[in-house]
């Protein structure tokens, strides 16, 4: 079974530029998460999708971050414009819909973003 | 709201020694509990989970954890660690509504 795929693995941009990350979840997983992991901290949930609908985006800085999940499969997370404090690893995860709320999330390898 | 506190940010141990990584949580609703491991430049991998039933949970790589409801703790243990266990360990809670909260992690360093 293929895992969660993310790209790119690494990205370096200048502040005020824009950047996009892509995630392909495990086939059949209806729930998709984007987390931000700042160095030395645990993952912080940015947004959670159930199919193509947003379940929770309470911690997403909506003035600069946006995410979509067209057709309920792949997802993209965008930052525009980026700030220095956005430097972090962005993790995508997915989980099975049949045990919603009771199952673990499967994580991709993450995208390490450096804003200079 | 939920919160997770990992009481030790760094735990150095010698190879073949026992280890305990401590995790306390706070929540106004029932939660499910997880431990994940993260190797350098990798995503998180599930070690074990507590959903219900027996409070002692066994996971991969010889790890186990015990859920203590009265103390709101979910400490991770291994009786004998290996060099390859060196990694970052995260405790997490998940509500029935699907809201997840992670601790800030414990860096386990196993020395020869």
């Amino acid at each position: 079974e293929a895992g969660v795929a993310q790209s790119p693995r690494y990205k370096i941009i200048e502040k005020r530029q824009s950047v996009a990350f892509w995630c392909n979840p495990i086939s059949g997983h209806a729930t998709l998460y984007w987390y931000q992991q700042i160095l030395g901290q645990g993952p912080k949930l940015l947004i959670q999708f159930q199919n193509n609908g947003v379940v929770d985006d309470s911690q997403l800085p909506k003035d600069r971050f946006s995410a979509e999940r067209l057709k309920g499969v792949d997802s993209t997370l965008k930052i525009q414009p980026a700030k220095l404090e956005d430097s972090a690893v962005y993790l995508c995860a997915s989980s099975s819909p049949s045990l919603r709320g009771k199952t673990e999330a499967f994580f991709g390898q993450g995208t390490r973003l450096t804003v200079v | 709201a939920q919160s997770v506190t990992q009481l030790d940010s760094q735990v150095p141990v010698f190879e073949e020694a026992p280890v305990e990584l401590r995790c306390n949580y706070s929540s106004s609703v029932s939660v499910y509990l997880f431990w994940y491991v993260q190797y350098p430049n990798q995503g998180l991998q599930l070690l074990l989970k507590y959903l219900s039933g027996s409070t002692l949970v066994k996971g991969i790589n010889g790890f186990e954890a015990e859920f203590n409801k009265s103390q709101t703790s979910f400490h991770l243990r291994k009786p004998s660690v290996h060099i390859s266990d060196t990694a970052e360990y995260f405790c997490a809670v998940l509500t029935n509504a699907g809201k997840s909260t992670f601790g800030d992690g414990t860096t386990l360093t196993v020395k020869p």
Side-chain angles (χ1 to χ4, degrees):
Chain A
E1 178 182 78
V4 177
Q6 289 188 247
S7 67
R9 286 296 313 277
Y10 305 92
K11 190 75 176 179
I12 301 175
I13 62 172
E14 295 183 349
K15 59 184 179 183
R16 291 187 290 274
Q17 286 187 322
S18 62
V19 65
F21 312 128
W22 174 81
C23 173
N24 185 18
I26 292 173
S27 177
H29 281 194
T31 306
L32 185 146
Y33 312 82
W34 281 103
Y35 290 89
Q36 180 192 59
Q37 186 179 18
I38 293 173
L39 186 65
Q41 299 181 18
K44 182 185 82 172
L45 181 68
L46 291 175
I47 189 166
Q48 178 181 342
F49 292 94
Q50 183 74 13
N51 295 308
N52 60 353
V54 175
V55 173
D56 183 355
D57 64 356
S58 57
Q59 298 194 83
L60 186 74
K62 299 180 185 62
D63 58 333
R64 298 184 300 107
F65 286 65
S66 64
E68 60 182 9
R69 191 183 183 196
L70 299 176
K71 301 180 182 178
V73 182
D74 293 8
S75 178
T76 56
L77 176 69
K78 297 179 182 178
I79 308 175
Q80 181 179 11
K83 293 185 175 181
L84 295 177
E85 58 260 37
D86 298 332
S87 294
V89 175
Y90 290 85
L91 295 165
C92 179
S94 68
S95 64
S96 167
S98 60
L99 295 174
R100 179 178 176 274
K102 295 186 179 182
T103 187
E104 72 272 22
F106 294 83
F107 284 80
Q109 291 187 305
T111 296
R112 182 177 298 277
L113 174 67
T114 303
V115 183
V116 298
Chain B
Q2 300 76 235
S3 67
V4 177
T5 302
Q6 292 185 239
L7 297 161
D8 307 291
S9 60
Q10 298 195 36
V11 174
V13 293
F14 286 105
E15 193 173 18
E16 297 183 6
V19 71
E20 178 180 78
L21 307 183
R22 297 180 293 167
C23 172
N24 284 8
Y25 70 93
S26 172
S27 178
S28 56
V29 299
S30 296
V31 295
Y32 308 102
L33 298 151
F34 304 83
W35 274 99
Y36 288 86
V37 61
Q38 186 176 36
Y39 299 103
N41 297 315
Q42 299 291 319
L44 278 70
Q45 177 186 359
L46 182 72
L47 271 179
L48 48 77
K49 59 187 176 184
Y50 173 78
L51 303 181
S52 64
S54 173
T55 57
L56 183 62
V57 180
K58 295 189 183 297
I60 63 171
N61 301 342
F63 284 93
E64 63 180 33
E66 185 155 19
F67 169 56
N68 187 317
K69 188 174 182 179
S70 62
Q71 298 188 4
T72 60
S73 67
F74 191 53
H75 300 334
L76 181 71
R77 301 186 183 97
K78 186 171 182 177
S80 176
V81 294
H82 303 291
I83 298 288
S84 59
D85 292 323
T86 294
E88 188 84 11
Y89 292 80
F90 293 95
C91 180
V93 300
L94 182 68
T95 69
N96 232 341
K99 187 168 181 65
S100 61
T101 304
F102 283 78
D104 281 336
T106 296
T107 302
L108 175 64
T109 303
V110 182
K111 300 179 285 186

